[in-house]
Amino acid sequence: MHQQTVLEQPLLKLAQWTEGVERSALQQMLMRASGPDVISFALGLPAPELFPGREFSEAVVSVLTSQALALQYGPPFLPLKSHIVSLMRRRGVDCTEDMVFLTSGAQQGMSLVARLLLDSGSEVVLEECAYTGFQQILQPYSPRLLTVGTDLETGLDVDALERLFTRGCRPALVYAISDGHNPFGVSMDLAKRKALVNLAERFGVPILEDDAYGLIQYEDYPIPPLRSFNDELVFYVGSFSKILAPALRVGWIIVPKGLNDLFSIVKEAADIDTSTLSQRSIAAYIDLFDLGAHIKTLSQVYRQRRDTLLQALNTYLGPRARWSKPRSGLFMWVEVADLLDSAKLLARSLEKEKVAFIPGSAFAVNGGSLGRNALRLNFSNSPPDLIDEGIRRLARLLP
Ligand SMILES: Cc1ncc(COP(=O)(O)O)c(C=O)c1O
């Protein structure tokens, strides 16, 4: 896909790493195509009609009328950390308040982990297609990116990782999404999770576990995250974005012991505090209302949307394609047998059928060719009838 450099400004000398930064034509195309008549499977947005707006406004009012410190700079809010300890217990992770480090979203959590673990030119292991937000975090470090494959049913190729390690590679970190992978929509199976942690322990390599979606689960028996098997090498990153609202910009890291002070220093340099008002309002919301019930509702609605998408793919695409069946998260990865370039398909799809999605190639690490025959489809942001209609239209354009 055609790329444009972000800034062409001859007088201004920017840092060297910005030279490689490109703005993709894809981003521009999607911005132009966000009109109300477009059925969008593109972005990873939660369903806006499920935001608990009324309840949250009650929580904000209660905070603002009783806590003057809610508008002040302030230390991390301990009651919120206690709520996160309970959420983590639900997730199968035992931790204490002193291991919870509050961040401005999972995105900042990952930036801070990168800041602590990476030097310029460090090696990092990712899957061949990876969340673009993490790839952007890495860019200023000009890292050496090493990739391993992904199985659409069981997740990251742990054997390939072992081969890398056995050949002597000792990356600064391995990036993994064990649940609701973005973009693949797969959750790693239990055996692979254990094997991955085992490898990290054997070779002394840290893992950044991005669990932005893991509290939204569609099957009865969620698999515990990597952090439940190791508390020294796994940096677990969580978020309120998908279980409450992304606009609050609150997430957390479960940090290995002894690193809290260093995290505080890099966090202070980045943005001083996570919004005190957001921290206290979320804590008040959880005190006043039932976050567990809210997560259950989200999971039920998104499960139904996932099932509608699965059904529509079956009906309209059938044997022409194969796709992941997400147990968690908001995305499905669809590989179409004879599709040569999903970016070109997107242009036609926007023009002729008014359907948007993200071409798989947008996630390729190192500009690889993986994903050219694939589409990443989000299923949380459209009601079932639009999901069905969108796939029906899309199928008309597919080989
Ligand atoms: C895989 C993944 N990690 C992290 C994030 C960032 O989440 P947050 O809103 O908590 O910063 C996203 C956002 O969509 C994501 O898809």
Side-chain angles (χ1 to χ4, degrees):
M1 167 149 278
H2 175 70
Q3 312 274 332
Q4 270 192 357
T5 50
V6 170
L7 189 71
E8 280 162 26
Q9 173 38 298
L11 292 179
L12 196 58
K13 172 132 178 51
L14 299 177
Q16 205 172 1
W17 71 268
T18 62
E19 281 170 20
V21 175
E22 291 168 334
R23 181 197 293 142
S24 76
L26 168 73
Q27 283 164 350
Q28 292 169 23
M29 186 163 30
L30 285 170
M31 264 159 55
R32 281 201 305 270
S34 55
D37 54 341
V38 172
I39 300 179
S40 182
F41 296 102
L43 303 176
L45 306 179
E49 67 277 19
L50 297 179
F51 290 142
R54 190 190 52 76
E55 292 87 346
F56 199 75
S57 64
E58 245 182 73
V60 176
V61 169
S62 86
V63 165
L64 285 175
T65 49
S66 65
Q67 305 176 30
L69 289 179
L71 293 177
Q72 189 55 282
Y73 292 113
F77 193 52
L78 194 58
L80 181 60
K81 289 190 175 194
S82 303
H83 286 310
I84 291 169
V85 167
S86 306
L87 275 174
M88 291 309 301
R89 202 168 301 128
R90 262 176 86 112
R91 210 47 202 103
V93 173
D94 266 330
C95 63
T96 47
E97 281 79 356
D98 59 330
M99 298 177 193
V100 177
F101 188 86
L102 297 176
T103 61
S104 301
Q107 189 69 20
Q108 186 186 49
M110 297 192 293
S111 290
L112 300 182
V113 174
R115 195 95 190 90
L116 278 192
L117 294 181
L118 297 189
D119 290 307
S120 185
S122 287
E123 285 185 337
V124 174
V125 175
L126 310 94
E127 286 156 275
E128 285 164 354
C129 282
Y131 168 53
T132 46
F134 184 64
Q135 297 190 50
Q136 284 164 353
I137 287 174
L138 293 177
Q139 267 176 345
Y141 301 94
S142 308
R144 195 161 156 251
L145 304 179
L146 304 164
T147 56
V148 293
T150 308
D151 181 279
L152 281 191
E153 282 173 22
T154 59
L156 186 146
D157 185 346
V158 182
D159 292 337
L161 188 63
E162 179 165 18
R163 286 194 292 277
L164 274 179
F165 288 178
T166 321
R167 270 192 260 129
C169 159
R170 292 293 177 277
L173 71 90
V174 174
Y175 173 65
I177 303 182
S178 33
D179 278 278
H181 193 283
N182 179 7
F184 288 124
V186 60
S187 293
M188 280 178 81
D189 71 15
L190 179 61
K192 279 193 168 177
R193 291 181 201 217
K194 289 185 175 164
L196 175 54
V197 170
N198 191 274
L199 272 185
E201 287 167 352
R202 256 173 67 207
F203 292 94
V205 173
I207 298 173
L208 168 49
E209 180 174 34
D210 176 358
D211 200 40
Y213 299 96
L215 281 156
I216 302 214
Q217 294 280 344
Y218 308 127
E219 307 300 330
D220 287 340
Y221 299 102
I223 310 169
L226 303 171
R227 182 59 174 72
S228 67
F229 304 113
N230 178 293
D231 55 14
E232 289 177 344
L233 285 167
V234 180
F235 294 75
Y236 173 102
V237 174
S239 175
F240 283 105
S241 288
K242 303 302 187 306
I243 56 171
L244 206 45
L248 303 173
R249 306 309 306 137
V250 179
W252 63 93
I253 313 172
I254 306 297
V255 298
K257 273 212 175 69
L259 289 182
N260 239 305
D261 289 350
L262 269 177
F263 270 108
S264 299
I265 290 166
V266 287
K267 161 84 178 161
E268 198 174 343
D271 67 349
I272 304 183
D273 295 326
T274 293
S275 157
T276 319
L277 179 59
S278 281
Q279 290 183 48
R280 287 175 181 249
S281 301
I282 294 173
Y285 170 86
I286 300 174
D287 288 336
L288 293 169
F289 302 98
D290 187 346
L291 177 62
H294 180 63
I295 294 175
K296 208 166 163 191
T297 305
L298 293 173
S299 303
Q300 278 164 354
V301 173
Y302 293 161
R303 184 193 296 118
Q304 196 202 2
R305 293 179 182 192
R306 175 203 67 171
D307 290 344
T308 305
L309 179 55
L310 287 170
Q311 180 63 47
L313 290 170
N314 238 327
T315 309
Y316 304 116
L317 267 66
R320 284 185 284 171
R322 65 175 201 133
W323 46 84
S324 49
K325 184 175 183 233
R327 301 171 53 102
S328 167
L330 312 183
F331 305 108
M332 213 175 279
W333 179 262
V334 181
E335 289 177 354
V336 183
D338 294 318
L339 181 62
L340 296 179
D341 187 345
S342 52
K344 284 196 179 133
L345 174 71
L346 172 64
R348 280 200 303 139
S349 164
L350 285 170
E351 190 201 338
K352 290 193 184 341
E353 299 289 354
K354 299 239 174 296
V355 174
F357 59 87
I358 306 275
S361 48
F363 301 93
V365 174
N366 283 336
S369 63
L370 205 88
R372 281 183 158 216
N373 67 338
L375 292 64
R376 189 199 73 174
L377 301 181
N378 162 268
F379 53 85
S380 56
N381 194 235
S382 302
D385 55 332
L386 285 187
I387 291 178
D388 185 82
E389 172 63 13
I391 300 302
R392 196 176 67 80
R393 290 191 202 172
L394 201 55
R396 294 201 283 244
L397 300 175
L398 290 176

